Amino acid sequence: MCSQGFRNFLLLVSSLLFVGLSAAPQSFSPSLRSVSGTPCRLSPAQSERRCRAPGQPPGSAPCHGRGRCECGVCICHVTEPGTYFGPLCECHDWVCEAYDGKTCAGHGTCDCGKCKCDVGWSGEACQYPVNCDLTKKISSQMCKNSQDVICSNAGTCHCGRCKCDDSDGNGFVYGKFCECDDRECIDDETEEICGGHGKCYCGNCYCEAGWHGDKCEFQCDITPWESKRRCTSPDGKICSNRGTCVCGECSCHDVDPTGDWGDIHGDTCECDERDCRAVYDRYSDDFCSGHGQCNCGRCDCRVGWQGKKCEHPWSCPLSAEDSARKCQGSSNLLCSGRGKCECGKCTCYPPGDSRVYGKTCECDDRRCEDLDGVVCGGHGTCSCGRCVCEKGWFGKLCQHPRKCNMTEEQSMSLCESADGTLCSGKGSCHCGKCICSAEEWYISGEFCDCDDRDCDKHDGLICTGNGICSCGNCECWDGWNGNACEIWLGTEYP
């Protein structure tokens, strides 16, 4: 009789032999042909017959379509997710049913795609106890979803577990509480799941690249590169790793296992309001401990409170009115709209950025930079947000030379807009560049063809004071995001 150690040795050798055969290259064959160089002794028909399961008709794919047949032996594929195995590649190691996130509900073992249940358990996923010791009331309570509906009205309750309706035998209704219905993914016209251009999960279509729509019925009209660019969040991640990019738009993963909507949002799924809750509870509105406003996952505390979740009271001898008065200065906004007022003192942000300073954050040297970050065009110095130009240069960003080596004709030709008008009729031409009218502060652009009033505002400020208006669109400074640059995404928040 073999010892236990010798039996384990035989099992190890068998496993190694199986792995070696499964991962064999195309030229490998376990038949005598590959060993001795002699041709296979089986005819092609005999070889294929041995590679088919009993009952499979002639012409059907050998090895269950998961491998290749060589001289009557199946060489299974190992390049796809999971591993196919078995004499005819009939088994797949991850296709067993799962319940509540556990394969075979944790009450059985997966054997070639089917659950072998432990004693006392039954069902395709071993989810049902054979003997139920629960009262009907407790059983029904365990089957209720978050809306207190038993099995989402799409199944029946058996000993505290939902058995989903499956009259058609297609398994479209599933989930712990039968909350998922993949029939919602069927395209009405083609009758295909997600129009044949995506995968369905819990009644929602996740479309292939180049397709979008509730049923993946629309083809994308932008390139994959442009789609990826639009979906890239400020930290360089696609949809902040919290969503799926579809045709340049992020579909945020804000659905939880119970089927309720979460709090992830934003153009690139950059905001997660769950971070604002003192103790996260999906069914509670306890944002910022009840003492602040949630701004893209970060708390903006009310006067008198501080802390990451506004959980600590702030002791201040000044009244709220006196504190605000000290923080206002000559501006109509607290801290010039560039900081937070705490007990009469301004904390300018972004934190650690020395370009924003002053008693009431009135100085913003970022305004001296162009879109490329060059200060005063390289021809001046910045003083409290205004450029002091060197001799021989002028302009808001010291971008214009006083001396010009062009003829007037050459200069004028460079200042003509697309319709042939000089500086769009809203400025003057100097040395081939347009100088827009100072009387109309909102006119900008290379040919004075842009209106900065088109840029989004927040708190009464264009681009919230956290970016540059570039021809109707806000170009946000580092750490800021949003149509009006109103969302701070930096690592710290004042």
Side-chain angles (χ1 to χ4, degrees):
M1 188 172 183
C2 296
S3 66
Q4 185 65 34
F6 182 72
R7 191 176 294 112
N8 291 339
F9 172 76
L10 289 178
L11 287 172
L12 175 62
V13 171
S14 300
S15 300
L16 291 173
L17 180 61
F18 159 68
V19 171
L21 287 175
S22 296
Q26 294 289 332
S27 60
F28 176 84
S29 171
S31 68
L32 290 176
R33 175 184 56 189
S34 62
V35 176
S36 61
T38 58
C40 179
R41 292 192 291 262
L42 299 175
S43 68
Q46 290 174 321
S47 175
E48 287 198 7
R49 194 179 304 119
R50 291 192 181 189
C51 289
R52 287 197 191 92
Q56 278 190 302
S60 58
C63 305
H64 287 83
R66 299 166 178 168
R68 67 181 186 279
C69 181
E70 291 197 4
C71 202
V73 176
C74 285
I75 307 298
C76 304
H77 295 320
V78 294
T79 56
E80 298 180 22
T83 303
Y84 293 111
F85 61 97
L88 300 175
C89 307
E90 71 274 21
C91 300
H92 202 187
D93 60 2
W94 53 261
V95 295
C96 274
E97 294 286 340
Y99 178 79
D100 199 16
K102 296 179 181 178
T103 301
C104 302
H107 301 300
T109 55
C110 183
D111 182 21
C112 198
K114 292 186 178 180
C115 288
K116 285 192 173 181
C117 302
D118 297 336
V119 176
W121 294 88
S122 65
E124 291 182 354
C126 304
Q127 71 270 44
Y128 303 120
V130 174
N131 299 313
C132 185
D133 55 359
L134 301 176
T135 65
K136 187 174 181 180
K137 182 178 180 180
I138 294 176
S139 175
S140 296
Q141 194 65 33
M142 290 173 65
C143 287
K144 289 182 179 179
N145 62 15
S146 57
Q147 285 81 35
D148 274 346
V149 179
I150 294 177
C151 299
S152 306
N153 284 334
T156 53
C157 185
H158 295 269
C159 198
R161 291 164 175 80
C162 288
K163 188 172 184 180
C164 304
D165 296 337
D166 190 20
S167 56
D168 298 331
N170 48 32
F172 280 157
V173 182
Y174 58 96
K176 185 177 180 180
F177 302 105
C178 304
E179 71 275 13
C180 297
D181 188 348
D182 284 357
R183 290 174 297 189
E184 298 292 331
C185 292
I186 298 176
D187 189 287
D188 295 333
E189 293 184 5
T190 65
E191 296 186 351
E192 289 184 281
I193 295 291
C194 301
H197 304 296
K199 300 290 184 182
C200 184
Y201 172 71
C202 204
N204 294 291
C205 283
Y206 293 85
C207 307
E208 298 171 353
W211 293 86
H212 65 108
D214 292 340
K215 306 288 179 64
C216 305
E217 67 271 35
F218 302 116
Q219 194 164 13
C220 192
D221 57 357
I222 60 175
T223 64
W225 180 89
E226 176 64 16
S227 175
K228 181 179 179 181
R229 187 191 69 79
R230 294 184 187 180
C231 289
T232 301
S233 57
D235 58 3
K237 298 174 182 175
I238 302 298
C239 299
S240 305
N241 285 347
R242 292 189 288 220
T244 303
C245 181
V246 180
C247 200
E249 295 183 0
C250 287
S251 175
C252 303
H253 295 161
D254 58 348
V255 63
D256 75 354
T258 63
D260 298 301
W261 294 103
D263 302 291
I264 299 172
H265 61 94
D267 290 342
T268 56
C269 307
E270 68 275 9
C271 301
D272 190 346
E273 293 185 2
R274 294 174 297 183
D275 294 337
C276 288
R277 296 181 177 178
V279 177
Y280 179 66
D281 178 359
R282 182 173 297 278
Y283 309 105
S284 165
D285 290 327
D286 186 23
F287 286 107
C288 304
S289 307
H291 306 300
Q293 182 177 355
C294 186
N295 180 17
C296 194
R298 290 174 172 84
C299 287
D300 189 6
C301 303
R302 295 195 186 102
V303 176
W305 293 90
Q306 62 178 339
K308 189 176 181 181
K309 304 286 178 68
C310 305
E311 68 272 31
H312 302 301
W314 176 266
S315 178
C316 177
L318 299 177
S319 67
E321 292 79 10
D322 289 341
S323 174
R325 195 177 301 114
K326 285 195 171 190
C327 288
Q328 248 178 321
S330 59
S331 170
N332 294 325
L333 299 172
L334 292 177
C335 303
S336 306
R338 303 185 188 103
K340 175 182 282 188
C341 180
E342 292 178 326
C343 199
K345 292 184 178 180
C346 287
T347 302
C348 305
Y349 54 80
D353 193 336
S354 60
R355 295 174 298 178
V356 183
Y357 57 95
K359 188 176 179 180
T360 58
C361 306
E362 68 274 15
C363 296
D364 188 352
D365 286 355
R366 296 173 301 183
R367 297 190 175 280
C368 293
E369 300 177 2
D370 60 18
L371 291 175
D372 296 322
V374 179
V375 177
C376 299
H379 306 296
T381 56
C382 188
S383 175
C384 196
R386 293 176 180 269
C387 284
V388 179
C389 302
E390 297 172 353
K391 187 177 180 179
W393 294 86
F394 72 101
K396 186 179 179 181
L397 297 177
C398 305
Q399 71 271 41
H400 301 298
R402 292 195 179 275
K403 290 185 179 181
C404 183
N405 57 3
M406 292 184 185
T407 65
E408 186 174 354
E409 186 178 348
Q410 288 174 325
S411 176
M412 300 283 247
S413 66
L414 293 174
C415 289
E416 288 185 0
S417 52
D419 59 0
T421 308
L422 191 69
C423 298
S424 305
K426 299 175 183 177
S428 59
C429 183
H430 173 76
C431 204
K433 290 187 177 180
C434 288
I435 301 176
C436 303
S437 172
E439 295 177 2
E440 297 176 294
W441 62 266
Y442 45 85
I443 299 300
S444 65
E446 185 179 359
F447 299 104
C448 302
D449 51 347
C450 299
D451 189 335
D452 285 354
R453 293 175 298 183
D454 293 336
C455 277
D456 289 309
K457 293 182 180 180
H458 185 71
D459 287 338
L461 292 175
I462 290 176
C463 302
T464 325
N466 300 318
I468 298 175
C469 183
S470 176
C471 213
N473 293 301
C474 288
E475 297 284 345
C476 304
W477 286 313
D478 289 343
W480 294 93
N481 195 22
N483 291 335
C485 305
E486 76 279 18
I487 300 172
W488 170 246
L489 294 177
T491 54
E492 299 178 45
Y493 195 70

